Amino acid sequence: MTLAIIDSGGANIGSVMHALKRLGAEPVFTADAGVIRTAERVLLPGVGAAGAAMSRLRELGLVECIRDLTQPVLGICLGMQLLFEKSKEDDTQCLGIIPGTLQKLKPSEGIRVPHMGWNTTTAISADPLLAGLPEEPWFYFVHSYFAPIGASTLATCLHGESFAAIVRQGNFFGAQFHPERSARNGARLLANFLELQ
């Protein structure tokens, strides 16, 4: 299976590539719109700030390319956040595929920001992306901003407040956590993504 991993800048891509190769995919790390459009699956990773990532996508001419994709697309961590309309981080206009504005997590007693480490998620909507996962699977998170719970939310997570942990809008999927760092549950979610019809 051909899988394009979009070069969104700042991403530590090695572990993502390795996780996908273990599942039989042939990931290609690219900023070429032609390669992205013709891939059977597309992955949008992201590490760093929303403003910088969107600036890079605009510079590469990939914003409209991503918006127009019809094959399954998975945004990971910041990549999921970029699927939304706007982020309070750098007051950034994002891709606008999923309604909602990302907010900053608020630290409080026992709640550290960034949210870093293992946490459980709770499914609120059935979807093939979640097939075979435990009732409340653990995943590995690293983020300071969060997506609101809305019509696109498949699963939520609680860290001070509840937020969208897994989302879907048509053929666009997102995971706020790092599936490539999330052991068996992360591997299962990636395998489900590769098998989507």
Side-chain angles (χ1 to χ4, degrees):
M1 170 177 293
T2 56
L3 189 150
I5 302 177
I6 297 174
D7 181 1
S8 55
N12 177 8
I13 212 67
S15 56
V16 176
M17 298 272 283
H18 187 63
L20 291 164
K21 285 177 180 176
R22 278 201 310 264
L23 294 169
E26 301 170 14
V28 178
F29 189 50
T30 183
D32 184 315
V35 173
I36 293 165
R37 286 193 192 99
T38 57
E40 295 171 81
R41 299 285 184 276
V42 176
L43 198 143
L44 177 61
V47 174
M54 282 306 300
S55 292
R56 178 166 174 79
L57 292 178
R58 281 191 291 271
E59 287 164 11
L60 294 169
L62 292 179
V63 171
E64 290 306 319
C65 169
I66 295 169
R67 287 174 177 159
D68 292 343
L69 294 174
T70 57
Q71 66 270 60
V73 179
L74 176 64
I76 290 178
C77 195
L78 177 62
M80 174 188 128
Q81 296 185 3
L82 297 181
L83 299 177
F84 284 79
E85 292 173 309
K86 186 175 180 180
S87 175
K88 293 286 189 179
E89 185 178 24
D90 307 322
D91 197 28
T92 302
Q93 295 295 323
C94 298
L95 292 167
I97 294 163
I98 301 176
T101 298
L102 297 144
Q103 308 288 333
K104 188 170 176 62
L105 288 165
K106 297 179 180 69
S108 60
E109 188 174 346
I111 301 297
R112 292 183 179 177
V113 176
H115 174 208
M116 185 179 295
W118 294 87
N119 206 339
T120 56
T121 58
T122 302
I124 61 172
S125 183
D127 191 89
L129 189 67
L130 310 181
L133 288 169
E135 193 169 319
E136 293 197 328
W138 290 80
F139 294 106
Y140 188 83
F141 290 82
V142 183
H143 63 116
S144 296
Y145 288 78
F146 69 92
I149 295 168
S152 65
T153 306
L154 297 180
T156 62
C157 182
L158 178 65
H159 184 73
E161 52 198 306
S162 290
F163 59 86
I166 306 173
V167 296
R168 178 180 187 177
Q169 186 84 10
N171 59 302
F172 289 89
F173 299 80
Q176 179 58 75
F177 48 85
H178 287 273
E180 78 282 5
R181 293 187 183 178
S182 297
R184 181 181 299 174
N185 292 333
R188 182 60 200 238
L189 184 133
L190 289 174
N192 289 343
F193 174 69
L194 295 177
E195 292 164 8
L196 290 170
Q197 299 300 313

